[in-house]
Amino acid sequence: MRIKQSEFIISAVKRNQYPSDNRAEVAFVGRSNVGKSSLINSLTNRKKLAKVSQTPGKTRLVNFFLINNDFYLVDLPGYGYAKVSKSEKDTWGKTIETYLTDRDELKRIVLLVDSRHKPTGDDIMMYEWAKHFNYNVVVVATKSDKLKNSEFKKSEKLIRETLQLNKDDKLYFYSSLKKNGTEELVNNLFLEFATDID
């Protein structure tokens, strides 16, 4: 499929601000500096759809983007950023939890981890939480352009072991800079929620 249309709909904090048109939702979540906004912009082929900042933790609300007039891509606040107050971290956590709890429209969670590093305790907690509530979870390892060819297998082994993925659990490597395999990743993440698959 091709993403032909992507538009920002709303930044929400409370449930009553979420879209209520029953379209499927695919949520992206990850650490503050994992490259979430860059990935969203790369997949949608839009330079400024999601705001990219040099300062981690820019996304503090639940941002809904309508894709191909078919389904929503949902950008959740990044977690694990050290340079904010504990009360602010708690607010972000509650914002994420409010969205993820009992959201019938949420069909898939895409957990982003940095391909260069071992997943953090926060990454593990997020993955376990999503699995506990029986969400379909796909892991995407970002910034793969920073890896040498010889490092991919080692990185995959480390991520799979740390998150305790089984052989059937999906893990994809991606570089928002190089964009290799964009169409394949788009298909793997979104195809089943699309009606126009051209």
mmCIF file of all heavy atoms in Angstrom, residues 30-33 55-58 60 78-90 92 120 122:
data_model
loop_
_atom_site.group_PDB
_atom_site.id
_atom_site.type_symbol
_atom_site.label_atom_id
_atom_site.label_comp_id
_atom_site.label_asym_id
_atom_site.label_seq_id
_atom_site.Cartn_x
_atom_site.Cartn_y
_atom_site.Cartn_z
ATOM 1 N N GLY A 30 7.552 4.893 22.355
ATOM 2 C CA GLY A 30 8.969 4.603 22.536
ATOM 3 C C GLY A 30 9.626 5.675 23.392
ATOM 4 O O GLY A 30 8.986 6.656 23.785
ATOM 5 N N ARG A 31 10.902 5.490 23.657
ATOM 6 C CA ARG A 31 11.639 6.466 24.445
ATOM 7 C C ARG A 31 11.693 7.822 23.731
ATOM 8 O O ARG A 31 11.583 7.893 22.517
ATOM 9 C CB ARG A 31 13.078 5.981 24.700
ATOM 10 C CG ARG A 31 13.156 4.880 25.733
ATOM 11 C CD ARG A 31 14.577 4.610 26.177
ATOM 12 N NE ARG A 31 15.419 4.148 25.072
ATOM 13 C CZ ARG A 31 16.500 4.783 24.641
ATOM 14 N NH1 ARG A 31 16.858 5.934 25.181
ATOM 15 N NH2 ARG A 31 17.216 4.286 23.660
ATOM 16 N N SER A 32 11.929 8.860 24.512
ATOM 17 C CA SER A 32 11.854 10.222 23.982
ATOM 18 C C SER A 32 12.795 10.491 22.823
ATOM 19 O O SER A 32 12.472 11.249 21.930
ATOM 20 C CB SER A 32 12.158 11.224 25.106
ATOM 21 O OG SER A 32 11.163 11.168 26.080
ATOM 22 N N ASN A 33 13.974 9.872 22.811
ATOM 23 C CA ASN A 33 14.946 10.189 21.759
ATOM 24 C C ASN A 33 15.142 9.026 20.790
ATOM 25 O O ASN A 33 16.195 8.883 20.173
ATOM 26 C CB ASN A 33 16.293 10.585 22.382
ATOM 27 C CG ASN A 33 16.835 9.499 23.293
ATOM 28 O OD1 ASN A 33 16.129 8.546 23.617
ATOM 29 N ND2 ASN A 33 18.069 9.625 23.720
ATOM 30 N N THR A 55 15.261 18.523 21.072
ATOM 31 C CA THR A 55 15.032 18.292 22.495
ATOM 32 C C THR A 55 14.106 17.098 22.677
ATOM 33 O O THR A 55 12.941 17.160 22.304
ATOM 34 C CB THR A 55 14.367 19.526 23.153
ATOM 35 O OG1 THR A 55 15.137 20.681 22.848
ATOM 36 C CG2 THR A 55 14.265 19.344 24.650
ATOM 37 N N PRO A 56 14.612 15.989 23.236
ATOM 38 C CA PRO A 56 13.741 14.830 23.463
ATOM 39 C C PRO A 56 12.561 15.201 24.346
ATOM 40 O O PRO A 56 12.654 16.089 25.190
ATOM 41 C CB PRO A 56 14.660 13.832 24.174
ATOM 42 C CG PRO A 56 16.041 14.237 23.784
ATOM 43 C CD PRO A 56 16.000 15.730 23.645
ATOM 44 N N GLY A 57 11.462 14.502 24.144
ATOM 45 C CA GLY A 57 10.289 14.742 24.977
ATOM 46 C C GLY A 57 9.361 15.797 24.424
ATOM 47 O O GLY A 57 8.537 16.359 25.135
ATOM 48 N N LYS A 58 9.471 16.094 23.126
ATOM 49 C CA LYS A 58 8.647 17.136 22.513
ATOM 50 C C LYS A 58 7.168 16.738 22.486
ATOM 51 O O LYS A 58 6.294 17.558 22.702
ATOM 52 C CB LYS A 58 9.133 17.384 21.079
ATOM 53 C CG LYS A 58 8.452 18.537 20.371
ATOM 54 C CD LYS A 58 8.992 19.855 20.837
ATOM 55 C CE LYS A 58 8.429 21.006 20.018
ATOM 56 N NZ LYS A 58 8.783 22.303 20.584
ATOM 57 N N ARG A 60 4.034 15.581 23.998
ATOM 58 C CA ARG A 60 3.516 15.466 25.361
ATOM 59 C C ARG A 60 2.024 15.152 25.375
ATOM 60 O O ARG A 60 1.438 14.965 26.423
ATOM 61 C CB ARG A 60 3.786 16.761 26.134
ATOM 62 C CG ARG A 60 5.269 17.065 26.155
ATOM 63 C CD ARG A 60 5.627 18.261 26.967
ATOM 64 N NE ARG A 60 7.078 18.496 26.877
ATOM 65 C CZ ARG A 60 7.750 19.274 27.683
ATOM 66 N NH1 ARG A 60 7.136 19.916 28.649
ATOM 67 N NH2 ARG A 60 9.043 19.437 27.545
ATOM 68 N N GLY A 78 6.711 10.365 24.311
ATOM 69 C CA GLY A 78 7.899 9.560 24.596
ATOM 70 C C GLY A 78 8.090 9.431 26.102
ATOM 71 O O GLY A 78 7.711 10.313 26.863
ATOM 72 N N TYR A 79 8.696 8.339 26.505
ATOM 73 C CA TYR A 79 8.914 8.126 27.939
ATOM 74 C C TYR A 79 10.413 8.018 28.221
ATOM 75 O O TYR A 79 11.230 7.884 27.312
ATOM 76 C CB TYR A 79 8.189 6.853 28.409
ATOM 77 C CG TYR A 79 8.504 5.607 27.604
ATOM 78 C CD1 TYR A 79 9.711 4.939 27.755
ATOM 79 C CD2 TYR A 79 7.593 5.101 26.679
ATOM 80 C CE1 TYR A 79 10.005 3.802 27.009
ATOM 81 C CE2 TYR A 79 7.869 3.972 25.927
ATOM 82 C CZ TYR A 79 9.080 3.330 26.105
ATOM 83 O OH TYR A 79 9.370 2.214 25.366
ATOM 84 N N GLY A 80 10.754 8.082 29.511
ATOM 85 C CA GLY A 80 12.131 7.805 29.925
ATOM 86 C C GLY A 80 13.101 8.958 29.767
ATOM 87 O O GLY A 80 14.305 8.768 29.863
ATOM 88 N N TYR A 81 12.600 10.172 29.534
ATOM 89 C CA TYR A 81 13.515 11.300 29.376
ATOM 90 C C TYR A 81 13.865 11.869 30.742
ATOM 91 O O TYR A 81 12.991 12.230 31.514
ATOM 92 C CB TYR A 81 12.882 12.368 28.479
ATOM 93 C CG TYR A 81 13.809 13.526 28.181
ATOM 94 C CD1 TYR A 81 15.101 13.295 27.707
ATOM 95 C CD2 TYR A 81 13.401 14.836 28.373
ATOM 96 C CE1 TYR A 81 15.956 14.346 27.432
ATOM 97 C CE2 TYR A 81 14.249 15.892 28.084
ATOM 98 C CZ TYR A 81 15.524 15.646 27.619
ATOM 99 O OH TYR A 81 16.373 16.678 27.341
ATOM 100 N N ALA A 82 15.162 11.963 31.045
ATOM 101 C CA ALA A 82 15.617 12.279 32.399
ATOM 102 C C ALA A 82 15.441 13.748 32.782
ATOM 103 O O ALA A 82 15.259 14.065 33.949
ATOM 104 C CB ALA A 82 17.082 11.882 32.548
ATOM 105 N N LYS A 83 15.499 14.650 31.791
ATOM 106 C CA LYS A 83 15.578 16.070 32.125
ATOM 107 C C LYS A 83 14.227 16.760 32.283
ATOM 108 O O LYS A 83 14.077 17.922 31.948
ATOM 109 C CB LYS A 83 16.410 16.800 31.069
ATOM 110 C CG LYS A 83 17.866 16.368 31.059
ATOM 111 C CD LYS A 83 18.658 17.170 30.056
ATOM 112 C CE LYS A 83 20.113 16.715 30.012
ATOM 113 N NZ LYS A 83 20.891 17.445 28.996
ATOM 114 N N VAL A 84 13.248 16.032 32.757
ATOM 115 C CA VAL A 84 11.977 16.670 33.113
ATOM 116 C C VAL A 84 11.653 16.299 34.553
ATOM 117 O O VAL A 84 12.176 15.330 35.092
ATOM 118 C CB VAL A 84 10.813 16.228 32.187
ATOM 119 C CG1 VAL A 84 11.064 16.673 30.759
ATOM 120 C CG2 VAL A 84 10.585 14.736 32.239
ATOM 121 N N SER A 85 10.790 17.071 35.174
ATOM 122 C CA SER A 85 10.447 16.830 36.571
ATOM 123 C C SER A 85 9.670 15.521 36.718
ATOM 124 O O SER A 85 9.053 15.042 35.769
ATOM 125 C CB SER A 85 9.609 17.985 37.111
ATOM 126 O OG SER A 85 8.349 17.994 36.476
ATOM 127 N N LYS A 86 9.699 14.984 37.934
ATOM 128 C CA LYS A 86 8.978 13.737 38.187
ATOM 129 C C LYS A 86 7.479 13.924 37.955
ATOM 130 O O LYS A 86 6.815 13.051 37.407
ATOM 131 C CB LYS A 86 9.226 13.265 39.624
ATOM 132 C CG LYS A 86 8.589 11.908 39.921
ATOM 133 C CD LYS A 86 8.896 11.423 41.315
ATOM 134 C CE LYS A 86 8.299 10.046 41.526
ATOM 135 N NZ LYS A 86 6.859 9.974 41.322
ATOM 136 N N SER A 87 6.957 15.087 38.338
ATOM 137 C CA SER A 87 5.518 15.317 38.162
ATOM 138 C C SER A 87 5.155 15.346 36.679
ATOM 139 O O SER A 87 4.105 14.861 36.275
ATOM 140 C CB SER A 87 5.095 16.633 38.835
ATOM 141 O OG SER A 87 5.754 17.727 38.225
ATOM 142 N N GLU A 88 6.065 15.906 35.850
ATOM 143 C CA GLU A 88 5.805 15.938 34.420
ATOM 144 C C GLU A 88 5.866 14.527 33.837
ATOM 145 O O GLU A 88 5.050 14.142 33.002
ATOM 146 C CB GLU A 88 6.812 16.854 33.712
ATOM 147 C CG GLU A 88 6.423 17.151 32.279
ATOM 148 C CD GLU A 88 7.115 18.387 31.723
ATOM 149 O OE1 GLU A 88 8.045 18.894 32.352
ATOM 150 O OE2 GLU A 88 6.704 18.831 30.642
ATOM 151 N N LYS A 89 6.851 13.734 34.292
ATOM 152 C CA LYS A 89 6.939 12.336 33.851
ATOM 153 C C LYS A 89 5.666 11.585 34.209
ATOM 154 O O LYS A 89 5.150 10.802 33.417
ATOM 155 C CB LYS A 89 8.129 11.639 34.525
ATOM 156 C CG LYS A 89 9.457 11.866 33.849
ATOM 157 C CD LYS A 89 10.492 10.983 34.522
ATOM 158 C CE LYS A 89 11.884 11.394 34.122
ATOM 159 N NZ LYS A 89 12.894 10.635 34.856
ATOM 160 N N ASP A 90 5.189 11.814 35.431
ATOM 161 C CA ASP A 90 3.966 11.135 35.881
ATOM 162 C C ASP A 90 2.777 11.522 34.997
ATOM 163 O O ASP A 90 1.939 10.680 34.669
ATOM 164 C CB ASP A 90 3.658 11.484 37.344
ATOM 165 C CG ASP A 90 4.646 10.847 38.318
ATOM 166 O OD1 ASP A 90 5.380 9.928 37.885
ATOM 167 O OD2 ASP A 90 4.704 11.272 39.477
ATOM 168 N N TRP A 92 2.895 12.452 31.814
ATOM 169 C CA TRP A 92 3.051 11.758 30.531
ATOM 170 C C TRP A 92 2.598 10.310 30.662
ATOM 171 O O TRP A 92 1.900 9.778 29.809
ATOM 172 C CB TRP A 92 4.503 11.761 30.074
ATOM 173 C CG TRP A 92 5.045 13.102 29.727
ATOM 174 C CD1 TRP A 92 4.380 14.306 29.754
ATOM 175 C CD2 TRP A 92 6.370 13.395 29.290
ATOM 176 N NE1 TRP A 92 5.227 15.314 29.377
ATOM 177 C CE2 TRP A 92 6.449 14.800 29.091
ATOM 178 C CE3 TRP A 92 7.510 12.624 29.058
ATOM 179 C CZ2 TRP A 92 7.618 15.426 28.665
ATOM 180 C CZ3 TRP A 92 8.670 13.253 28.635
ATOM 181 C CH2 TRP A 92 8.721 14.636 28.437
ATOM 182 N N THR A 120 15.662 -0.512 27.203
ATOM 183 C CA THR A 120 15.701 -0.054 28.590
ATOM 184 C C THR A 120 14.631 -0.748 29.431
ATOM 185 O O THR A 120 13.741 -1.430 28.904
ATOM 186 C CB THR A 120 15.459 1.467 28.651
ATOM 187 O OG1 THR A 120 14.106 1.720 28.226
ATOM 188 C CG2 THR A 120 16.430 2.222 27.757
ATOM 189 N N ASP A 122 12.234 0.762 30.807
ATOM 190 C CA ASP A 122 10.957 1.346 30.378
ATOM 191 C C ASP A 122 10.426 0.642 29.127
ATOM 192 O O ASP A 122 9.222 0.422 28.990
ATOM 193 C CB ASP A 122 11.119 2.843 30.085
ATOM 194 C CG ASP A 122 11.260 3.674 31.350
ATOM 195 O OD1 ASP A 122 10.714 3.275 32.387
ATOM 196 O OD2 ASP A 122 11.930 4.722 31.291
#
